Amino acid sequence: MPEALIRIFEEQYRELRPRAPIPPLDVRFRRFTSLNTTIRLREGRLHVRLSDLLEHAPETVHHAIAHILLAKLYKKPIAASHADRYRRHVSSEAMTKQAEHIRQTRGRKRITQPEGHYYDLNEVFESLNTRFFHGLLGRPTLTWSAHHARRMLGHYDAAHNTIVVSRVFDRPDTPRCAIEYLLYHEMLHLKHPVRVKAGRRCVHSKAFQAEERLFPELEEAKAYLKLL
């Protein structure tokens, strides 16, 4: 398979850079925990690493991957046909299930405790569950992030059924409405799972957005989040 992939990468290289000599290629599959694809140019050699989830993809998808990686590396326009072909493949129901299974079995989730110095995530969750979900949402694992992250304030990891909240919120001057809104948003991901429509992932559906607007202190919470 690597030999066949090398030929595919060489073909795509010629199309993107017809006058440049093709550098030696090292293409390998790796047991990543997600659909990772990487390409690096080191000492005149191209090193490509692909998730083993892509090993048995159709040849057309391998062409798309080669085109996309090389185009990004050499700052060339990515052909819409290749981008669409790759997107449709990785967004398919079968690939989505495989990727989630791999994350569950290979991935490791660093779990701390839901009890912080000032806020208890379990308490906040149960309060919101009663107020907005009639107490019907099953409680996932709740944990504070390992660091005071400001770029990713919170996220729901479906593969591990875990909601992670940035530790930056666990301080005395954090308004209650801010951490409630953040957790409420992630709880909506529990209620409205990601769906695939026409090859596209729908993360925030209309139903999701409509329920999000029901949070009574939405504007005040969002204004605080912008300050972080």
Coordinates of all heavy atoms in Angstrom, one line a residue, residues 93-156:
E93 N -21.4 8.1 7.6 CA -21.8 7.5 8.8 C -20.9 6.4 9.3 O -20.5 6.3 10.4 CB -23.2 6.9 8.7 CG -23.8 6.4 10.0 CD -25.2 5.8 9.8 OE1 -25.8 6.1 8.8 OE2 -25.7 5.3 10.8
A94 N -20.4 5.6 8.3 CA -19.5 4.5 8.6 C -18.2 5.1 9.2 O -17.7 4.6 10.2 CB -19.2 3.7 7.4
M95 N -17.6 6.1 8.5 CA -16.3 6.7 9.0 C -16.5 7.4 10.4 O -15.6 7.3 11.2 CB -15.8 7.6 8.0 CG -15.1 6.9 6.8 SD -13.7 5.9 7.3 CE -12.6 7.1 7.9
T96 N -17.6 8.0 10.5 CA -17.9 8.7 11.8 C -17.9 7.7 13.0 O -17.3 8.0 14.0 CB -19.2 9.5 11.7 OG1 -19.1 10.5 10.7 CG2 -19.4 10.2 13.0
K97 N -18.6 6.6 12.7 CA -18.6 5.6 13.8 C -17.3 5.0 14.1 O -16.9 4.7 15.2 CB -19.6 4.5 13.4 CG -21.1 4.9 13.4 CD -22.0 3.8 13.0 CE -23.5 4.2 13.2 NZ -24.4 3.1 12.8
Q98 N -16.5 4.7 13.0 CA -15.2 4.1 13.2 C -14.3 5.1 14.0 O -13.5 4.7 14.9 CB -14.5 3.8 11.8 CG -15.1 2.6 11.1 CD -14.4 2.3 9.8 OE1 -13.2 2.3 9.8 NE2 -15.1 2.2 8.7
A99 N -14.3 6.4 13.6 CA -13.5 7.4 14.3 C -13.9 7.5 15.7 O -13.0 7.6 16.6 CB -13.7 8.7 13.6
E100 N -15.1 7.5 16.1 CA -15.5 7.6 17.5 C -15.1 6.3 18.2 O -14.7 6.4 19.4 CB -17.1 7.7 17.6 CG -17.5 8.0 19.0 CD -18.9 8.6 19.0 OE1 -19.2 9.5 18.2 OE2 -19.7 8.2 19.9
H101 N -15.2 5.2 17.6 CA -14.8 3.9 18.2 C -13.3 4.0 18.5 O -12.8 3.6 19.6 CB -15.1 2.7 17.4 CG -14.6 1.4 17.9 ND1 -15.1 0.8 19.0 CD2 -13.5 0.6 17.5 CE1 -14.4 -0.3 19.3 NE2 -13.5 -0.4 18.4
I102 N -12.5 4.5 17.6 CA -11.1 4.6 17.8 C -10.7 5.5 18.9 O -9.8 5.3 19.7 CB -10.4 5.1 16.5 CG1 -10.4 3.9 15.4 CG2 -8.9 5.5 16.7 CD1 -9.7 2.7 15.8
R103 N -11.4 6.6 19.0 CA -11.2 7.6 20.1 C -11.5 7.0 21.4 O -10.8 7.2 22.4 CB -12.0 8.9 19.9 CG -11.5 9.8 18.7 CD -12.3 11.0 18.7 NE -12.1 11.8 20.0 CZ -12.9 12.7 20.4 NH1 -14.0 13.0 19.8 NH2 -12.6 13.4 21.5
Q104 N -12.5 6.2 21.5 CA -12.9 5.5 22.7 C -11.9 4.5 23.2 O -11.6 4.4 24.3 CB -14.3 4.8 22.6 CG -15.4 5.8 22.5 CD -16.7 5.1 22.2 OE1 -16.8 4.0 21.6 NE2 -17.8 5.7 22.6
T105 N -11.4 3.7 22.2 CA -10.5 2.6 22.5 C -9.0 3.0 22.6 O -8.2 2.5 23.4 CB -10.6 1.5 21.5 OG1 -10.4 2.0 20.2 CG2 -12.0 0.9 21.6
R106 N -8.6 4.0 21.8 CA -7.2 4.4 21.8 C -6.9 5.7 22.6 O -5.9 5.9 23.2 CB -6.7 4.7 20.4 CG -6.7 3.4 19.5 CD -6.2 3.8 18.1 NE -6.3 2.7 17.2 CZ -6.0 2.8 15.9 NH1 -5.6 3.9 15.4 NH2 -6.2 1.7 15.1
G107 N -7.9 6.6 22.6 CA -7.7 7.9 23.2 C -7.8 7.8 24.8 O -8.4 6.9 25.4
R108 N -7.1 8.7 25.4 CA -7.1 8.9 26.8 C -7.6 10.2 27.2 O -7.2 11.2 26.6 CB -5.6 8.7 27.4 CG -5.1 7.3 27.2 CD -3.7 7.2 27.8 NE -3.1 5.9 27.7 CZ -1.9 5.6 28.1 NH1 -1.2 6.5 28.7 NH2 -1.5 4.3 28.0
K109 N -8.5 10.2 28.1 CA -9.1 11.5 28.6 C -8.6 11.8 30.0 O -8.7 11.0 30.9 CB -10.6 11.4 28.6 CG -11.3 12.7 28.6 CD -11.2 13.4 27.3 CE -12.0 14.7 27.3 NZ -11.8 15.4 26.0
R110 N -7.9 13.0 30.1 CA -7.4 13.3 31.4 C -8.6 13.9 32.3 O -9.1 14.9 32.0 CB -6.3 14.4 31.3 CG -5.7 14.7 32.7 CD -4.5 15.6 32.5 NE -3.9 15.9 33.8 CZ -2.8 16.6 34.0 NH1 -2.2 17.1 32.9 NH2 -2.4 16.9 35.2
I111 N -8.9 13.1 33.3 CA -10.1 13.5 34.1 C -9.5 14.0 35.5 O -8.7 13.4 36.1 CB -11.0 12.3 34.4 CG1 -11.5 11.7 33.0 CG2 -12.2 12.7 35.2 CD1 -12.3 12.7 32.2
T112 N -10.0 15.2 35.9 CA -9.7 15.7 37.2 C -10.9 15.4 38.1 O -11.5 14.3 38.1 CB -9.3 17.1 37.2 OG1 -10.4 17.9 36.6 CG2 -8.1 17.3 36.3
Q113 N -11.4 16.4 38.8 CA -12.6 16.3 39.6 C -13.6 17.4 39.3 O -13.2 18.4 38.9 CB -12.2 16.4 41.1 CG -11.3 15.3 41.7 CD -12.0 13.9 41.6 OE1 -13.2 13.8 41.9 NE2 -11.2 12.9 41.3
P114 N -14.9 17.1 39.4 CA -15.9 18.1 39.1 C -15.9 19.2 40.2 O -16.4 20.3 39.9 CB -17.2 17.3 39.1 CG -17.0 16.1 40.0 CD -15.5 15.8 39.8
E115 N -15.4 18.9 41.4 CA -15.4 19.9 42.4 C -14.2 20.9 42.2 O -13.1 20.4 42.3 CB -15.3 19.3 43.8 CG -16.5 18.4 44.1 CD -16.3 17.0 43.7 OE1 -15.2 16.7 43.1 OE2 -17.2 16.1 43.8
G116 N -14.5 22.1 42.0 CA -13.5 23.1 41.9 C -13.3 23.8 43.3 O -13.9 23.5 44.3
H117 N -12.5 24.9 43.2 CA -12.3 25.7 44.5 C -13.6 26.5 44.8 O -13.9 26.8 45.9 CB -11.1 26.6 44.3 CG -9.8 25.9 44.2 ND1 -9.3 25.1 45.2 CD2 -8.9 25.8 43.2 CE1 -8.2 24.6 44.9 NE2 -7.9 24.9 43.6
Y118 N -14.3 27.0 43.7 CA -15.4 27.8 43.9 C -16.7 27.3 43.3 O -17.8 27.7 43.7 CB -15.1 29.2 43.3 CG -14.0 29.9 44.0 CD1 -12.7 29.8 43.4 CD2 -14.1 30.5 45.2 CE1 -11.6 30.4 44.0 CE2 -13.0 31.1 45.8 CZ -11.7 31.0 45.2 OH -10.6 31.6 45.8
Y119 N -16.6 26.4 42.3 CA -17.8 25.9 41.6 C -17.7 24.4 41.6 O -16.6 23.8 41.3 CB -17.9 26.4 40.2 CG -18.5 27.9 40.2 CD1 -17.6 28.9 39.9 CD2 -19.8 28.1 40.4 CE1 -18.1 30.2 39.8 CE2 -20.3 29.4 40.3 CZ -19.5 30.4 40.0 OH -20.0 31.7 40.0
D120 N -18.8 23.7 41.8 CA -18.9 22.3 41.7 C -19.7 22.0 40.4 O -20.9 22.3 40.3 CB -19.7 21.7 42.9 CG -19.8 20.2 42.9 OD1 -19.6 19.6 41.8 OD2 -20.1 19.6 43.9
L121 N -19.1 21.4 39.4 CA -19.7 21.2 38.1 C -20.9 20.2 38.3 O -21.9 20.4 37.5 CB -18.7 20.6 37.1 CG -17.6 21.5 36.7 CD1 -16.6 20.8 35.8 CD2 -18.1 22.8 36.1
N122 N -20.9 19.3 39.2 CA -22.0 18.4 39.4 C -23.2 19.2 39.9 O -24.4 19.0 39.4 CB -21.7 17.3 40.4 CG -20.8 16.2 39.8 OD1 -20.8 16.0 38.6 ND2 -20.2 15.4 40.7
E123 N -23.0 20.1 40.8 CA -24.1 20.9 41.3 C -24.7 21.8 40.2 O -25.9 21.9 40.1 CB -23.6 21.7 42.5 CG -24.7 22.6 43.2 CD -24.9 23.9 42.5 OE1 -23.9 24.5 42.1 OE2 -26.1 24.3 42.4
V124 N -23.8 22.4 39.4 CA -24.3 23.3 38.4 C -25.1 22.5 37.3 O -26.2 22.9 36.9 CB -23.1 24.1 37.7 CG1 -23.7 25.0 36.6 CG2 -22.4 24.9 38.7
F125 N -24.6 21.3 37.0 CA -25.3 20.5 36.0 C -26.7 20.1 36.5 O -27.6 20.2 35.7 CB -24.4 19.2 35.8 CG -25.1 18.3 34.8 CD1 -24.7 18.3 33.4 CD2 -26.0 17.3 35.2 CE1 -25.3 17.4 32.5 CE2 -26.6 16.5 34.3 CZ -26.2 16.5 32.9
E126 N -26.8 19.6 37.7 CA -28.1 19.2 38.3 C -29.0 20.3 38.3 O -30.2 20.2 38.1 CB -27.9 18.5 39.6 CG -27.1 17.2 39.6 CD -27.8 16.2 38.6 OE1 -29.0 16.3 38.4 OE2 -27.0 15.3 38.1
S127 N -28.6 21.5 38.7 CA -29.4 22.7 38.7 C -30.0 23.0 37.3 O -31.2 23.2 37.1 CB -28.6 23.9 39.2 OG -29.4 25.1 39.2
L128 N -29.1 23.0 36.3 CA -29.5 23.3 34.9 C -30.5 22.2 34.4 O -31.4 22.4 33.7 CB -28.3 23.4 34.0 CG -27.4 24.6 34.3 CD1 -26.1 24.5 33.5 CD2 -28.1 25.9 33.9
N129 N -30.1 20.9 34.8 CA -30.9 19.8 34.3 C -32.4 19.9 34.8 O -33.3 19.6 34.1 CB -30.3 18.5 34.9 CG -30.7 17.3 34.1 OD1 -31.4 17.3 33.1 ND2 -30.4 16.1 34.6
T130 N -32.5 20.3 36.1 CA -33.9 20.5 36.6 C -34.6 21.7 36.0 O -35.8 21.6 35.6 CB -33.8 20.8 38.1 OG1 -33.1 19.6 38.8 CG2 -35.1 21.0 38.7
R131 N -33.9 22.8 35.8 CA -34.5 24.0 35.3 C -34.9 23.9 33.8 O -35.9 24.4 33.4 CB -33.6 25.2 35.4 CG -33.4 25.7 36.9 CD -32.3 26.6 37.0 NE -32.4 27.8 36.1 CZ -31.4 28.6 35.9 NH1 -30.2 28.4 36.4 NH2 -31.6 29.7 35.1
F132 N -34.0 23.3 33.0 CA -34.2 23.3 31.5 C -34.5 22.0 30.9 O -35.0 22.0 29.7 CB -33.0 23.9 30.9 CG -32.7 25.3 31.3 CD1 -31.7 25.6 32.2 CD2 -33.4 26.4 30.8 CE1 -31.4 26.9 32.6 CE2 -33.1 27.7 31.1 CZ -32.1 28.0 32.1
F133 N -34.2 20.9 31.5 CA -34.4 19.6 30.9 C -35.2 18.6 31.7 O -35.2 17.4 31.5 CB -33.0 18.9 30.7 CG -32.1 19.8 29.9 CD1 -31.1 20.6 30.5 CD2 -32.1 19.8 28.5 CE1 -30.3 21.4 29.8 CE2 -31.3 20.6 27.7 CZ -30.3 21.4 28.4
H134 N -36.0 19.2 32.6 CA -36.9 18.3 33.5 C -36.2 17.2 34.2 O -36.8 16.2 34.5 CB -38.1 17.7 32.6 CG -38.8 18.7 31.8 ND1 -39.7 19.7 32.3 CD2 -38.8 19.0 30.4 CE1 -40.2 20.4 31.4 NE2 -39.7 20.1 30.2
G135 N -34.9 17.4 34.4 CA -34.1 16.4 35.1 C -33.9 15.1 34.3 O -33.5 14.1 34.9
L136 N -34.1 15.2 33.0 CA -34.1 13.9 32.2 C -32.7 13.7 31.5 O -32.5 12.6 31.0 CB -35.1 14.0 31.1 CG -36.6 14.1 31.6 CD1 -37.6 14.2 30.4 CD2 -36.9 12.8 32.4
L137 N -31.8 14.6 31.5 CA -30.5 14.4 30.9 C -29.6 13.5 31.8 O -29.5 13.8 33.0 CB -29.8 15.7 30.6 CG -30.0 16.5 29.3 CD1 -29.1 17.6 29.2 CD2 -30.0 15.6 28.1
G138 N -29.1 12.4 31.2 CA -28.2 11.6 32.0 C -26.9 12.4 32.2 O -26.4 13.1 31.3
R139 N -26.3 12.4 33.4 CA -25.1 13.2 33.7 C -23.9 12.5 33.1 O -23.6 11.4 33.5 CB -25.0 13.4 35.2 CG -23.8 14.4 35.5 CD -23.9 14.8 36.9 NE -23.5 13.8 37.8 CZ -23.7 13.8 39.2 NH1 -24.4 14.8 39.7 NH2 -23.3 12.8 39.9
P140 N -23.2 13.2 32.2 CA -21.9 12.6 31.7 C -20.8 12.8 32.8 O -21.1 13.4 33.9 CB -21.6 13.5 30.5 CG -22.2 14.8 30.8 CD -23.4 14.5 31.7
T141 N -19.6 12.4 32.5 CA -18.5 12.8 33.3 C -18.2 14.3 33.2 O -18.1 14.8 32.1 CB -17.2 12.0 32.9 OG1 -17.5 10.6 33.0 CG2 -16.0 12.4 33.8
L142 N -18.1 14.9 34.3 CA -17.8 16.4 34.3 C -16.4 16.6 34.9 O -16.1 16.1 36.0 CB -18.9 17.1 35.1 CG -20.3 16.9 34.7 CD1 -21.3 17.4 35.7 CD2 -20.6 17.7 33.4
T143 N -15.6 17.4 34.2 CA -14.3 17.7 34.7 C -13.8 19.1 34.3 O -14.2 19.6 33.3 CB -13.3 16.6 34.1 OG1 -12.0 16.8 34.6 CG2 -13.3 16.7 32.6
W144 N -13.0 19.6 35.2 CA -12.3 20.8 34.9 C -11.1 20.5 34.0 O -10.5 19.5 34.1 CB -11.8 21.5 36.2 CG -12.9 22.0 37.1 CD1 -13.4 21.4 38.2 CD2 -13.6 23.2 36.9 NE1 -14.4 22.1 38.7 CE2 -14.5 23.3 38.0 CE3 -13.6 24.3 36.0 CZ2 -15.4 24.3 38.1 CZ3 -14.5 25.3 36.1 CH2 -15.4 25.4 37.2
S145 N -10.7 21.5 33.2 CA -9.6 21.3 32.3 C -8.3 21.3 33.2 O -8.3 21.8 34.3 CB -9.5 22.4 31.3 OG -9.3 23.7 31.9
A146 N -7.2 20.7 32.6 CA -6.0 20.6 33.4 C -5.3 22.0 33.5 O -4.6 22.3 34.5 CB -5.0 19.7 32.7
H147 N -5.6 22.9 32.5 CA -5.0 24.2 32.5 C -6.1 25.3 32.4 O -7.2 25.0 32.1 CB -4.0 24.4 31.4 CG -3.0 23.3 31.4 ND1 -1.9 23.2 32.3 CD2 -2.8 22.2 30.5 CE1 -1.2 22.2 32.0 NE2 -1.7 21.5 31.0
H148 N -5.7 26.5 32.7 CA -6.6 27.7 32.6 C -6.7 28.1 31.1 O -6.3 29.1 30.6 CB -6.1 28.8 33.4 CG -6.2 28.6 34.9 ND1 -5.4 27.7 35.5 CD2 -7.0 29.2 35.8 CE1 -5.7 27.7 36.8 NE2 -6.7 28.6 37.0
A149 N -7.4 27.2 30.3 CA -7.5 27.4 28.9 C -8.4 28.6 28.6 O -9.5 28.7 29.2 CB -8.1 26.2 28.2
R150 N -8.1 29.4 27.7 CA -8.9 30.6 27.3 C -9.4 30.5 25.8 O -10.3 31.2 25.4 CB -8.1 31.9 27.4 CG -7.8 32.2 28.9 CD -7.0 33.5 29.1 NE -6.7 33.7 30.5 CZ -7.5 34.4 31.3 NH1 -8.6 34.9 30.9 NH2 -7.1 34.6 32.6
R151 N -8.7 29.6 25.0 CA -9.2 29.4 23.6 C -10.3 28.5 23.6 O -11.3 28.7 22.8 CB -8.0 28.9 22.8 CG -6.9 30.0 22.6 CD -5.9 29.5 21.6 NE -6.4 29.3 20.3 CZ -5.7 28.9 19.3 NH1 -4.5 28.5 19.4 NH2 -6.3 28.8 18.1
M152 N -10.3 27.4 24.3 CA -11.4 26.4 24.4 C -11.9 26.4 25.8 O -11.4 25.8 26.7 CB -10.9 25.0 24.0 CG -12.1 24.0 24.0 SD -11.6 22.3 23.5 CE -11.3 22.6 21.7
L153 N -13.0 27.2 25.9 CA -13.6 27.4 27.3 C -14.4 26.2 27.8 O -14.5 25.9 29.0 CB -14.5 28.6 27.3 CG -13.8 29.9 26.9 CD1 -14.8 31.0 26.8 CD2 -12.7 30.2 27.9
G154 N -14.9 25.4 26.8 CA -15.6 24.1 27.2 C -15.9 23.3 26.0 O -16.0 23.9 24.9
H155 N -16.1 22.0 26.2 CA -16.4 21.2 25.0 C -17.0 19.9 25.5 O -16.7 19.4 26.6 CB -15.3 20.9 24.1 CG -14.2 20.0 24.6 ND1 -13.2 20.4 25.5 CD2 -14.0 18.7 24.5 CE1 -12.4 19.4 25.8 NE2 -12.9 18.3 25.2
Y156 N -17.9 19.3 24.7 CA -18.4 18.0 25.0 C -17.8 16.9 24.1 O -17.7 17.1 22.9 CB -19.9 18.0 24.7 CG -20.5 16.6 24.8 CD1 -20.5 15.8 26.0 CD2 -21.2 16.0 23.7 CE1 -21.0 14.5 26.1 CE2 -21.7 14.7 23.8 CZ -21.6 14.0 25.0 OH -22.1 12.7 25.1

